[in-house]
């Protein structure tokens, strides 16, 4: 993608490890984006410190200061739009977004979820995967739609579930791969190779993705 780097705003609520993966890729010169701002709804989110260390602007917008979800989302949308982003990246932003906000950013908002969607939408994905005896688990990068964790999936990473796994061990292995697939999808978007089609399907290099691509944990090759 020629010209100016893609303008990005990242939303966080916690540690911001996926934010750090994006920052690292930018600093290494492998991701042509400019993170204009990191916005957190929690003042103690460690991701804010990660942003400050990288000289990225930060903002705190607490949902507790607003009477309801629509009021918070209206303020959030105004704050995001002030930075004129080409892409909004949710990186552990623990808020359910209203349909109006999601529609405003249709096709230019991405999220990462720690499961192989459509399995285990919502919270506590690792515990739930272990409880039902899943043999594989992973993470999914998807476009955001009004349906919680239900937007069109672009790329997944898979890890085998080991016999001695607990939720913490499984989560740690999944997180390593999250840090690979999120920068990859953002790169595709920044290069103009990825978009959300009018039919609701992601398109990579003009090809509609009927199923998400997969990053094979063993071969580290992208496969369909």
């Amino acid at each position: 993608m020629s010209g100016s780097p893609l303008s990005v705003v990242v939303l966080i609520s916690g540690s911001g490890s996926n934010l750090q993966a994006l920052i690292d890729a930018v600093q290494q010169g492998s991701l042509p984006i400019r993170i204009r701002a990191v916005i957190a709804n929690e003042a103690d989110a460690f991701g804010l410190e990660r942003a400050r260390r990288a000289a990225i602007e930060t903002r705190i917008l607490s949902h507790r200061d607003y009477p309801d979800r629509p009021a918070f989302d209206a303020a959030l949308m105004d704050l995001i739009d002030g930075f004129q982003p080409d892409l909004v990246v949710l990186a552990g932003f623990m808020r359910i977004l209203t349909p109006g906000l999601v529609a405003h950013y249709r096709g230019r908002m991405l999220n990462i979820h720690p499961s192989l969607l459509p399995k285990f939408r919502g919270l506590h994905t690792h515990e739930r995967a272990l409880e039902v005896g899943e043999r594989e688990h992973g993470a999914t990068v998807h476009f955001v739609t009004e349906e919680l964790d239900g937007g069109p999936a672009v790329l997944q990473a898979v890890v085998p579930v080991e016999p001695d796994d607990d939720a913490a061990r499984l989560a740690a292995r999944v997180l390593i791969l999250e840090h690979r697939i999120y920068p990859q999808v953002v790169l595709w978007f920044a290069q103009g190779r990825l978009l959300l089609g009018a039919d609701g399907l992601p398109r990579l290099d003009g090809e509609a993705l009927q199923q998400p691509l997969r990053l094979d944990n063993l071969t580290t090759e992208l496969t369909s």
Side-chain angles (χ1 to χ4, degrees), residues 192-220:
R193 298 173 57 193
L194 175 68
L195 57 82
L196 182 62
D199 58 0
L201 291 176
R203 278 177 158 72
L204 182 64
D205 297 331
E207 189 78 21
L209 302 181
Q210 302 290 341
Q211 299 291 333
L213 300 171
R214 282 200 169 192
L215 179 70
D216 190 313
N217 188 35
L218 300 178
T219 65
T220 68

Side-chain angles (χ1 to χ4, degrees), residues 9 22 24 40 54 60 74 80 85-86 162 164 169 171 204 224:
V9 167
L22 296 173
D24 291 346
I60 300 166
I80 294 170
D86 303 304
E162 304 293 348
D164 61 345
R169 281 193 293 268
L204 182 64
S224 58

